[in-house]
Amino acid sequence: MLTAILARTTSGRLRSRKLWTMVGAVTTLVVDNLAGLNLSPLTQGLIAGVAAVYIIAQALTDSGQVWVKDE
């Protein structure tokens, strides 16, 4: 079903790597809370931090603001 929705999306917004990274990180933290898995605060922070770094890096790459040193 998700594949059909993505195939019909012409704007590409649902194909965003940043969106699905954010959805995955939030889902992981919500499921942890609801299921009572009791991940440590450090682990929760690392999940959110890795997702944030990835999203920021992808945003910079997509906007063309990544500077590469010419050799």
Side-chain angles (χ1 to χ4, degrees):
M1 181 170 144
L2 182 60
T3 306
I5 292 171
L6 290 175
R8 284 184 271 171
T9 303
T10 57
S11 66
R13 289 183 181 164
L14 289 178
R15 295 180 184 181
S16 170
R17 298 178 307 270
K18 297 179 290 289
L19 170 69
W20 291 111
T21 300
M22 182 180 66
V23 168
V26 169
T27 301
T28 300
L29 295 174
V30 168
V31 167
D32 167 57
N33 189 25
L34 294 176
L37 298 176
N38 297 324
L39 292 176
S40 71
L42 177 62
T43 303
Q44 293 175 9
L46 287 173
I47 290 169
V50 168
V53 167
Y54 178 79
I55 290 169
I56 291 168
Q58 288 298 316
L60 289 172
T61 301
D62 291 346
S63 68
Q65 294 182 2
V66 174
W67 298 279
V68 179
K69 181 181 176 184
D70 292 332
E71 294 184 32

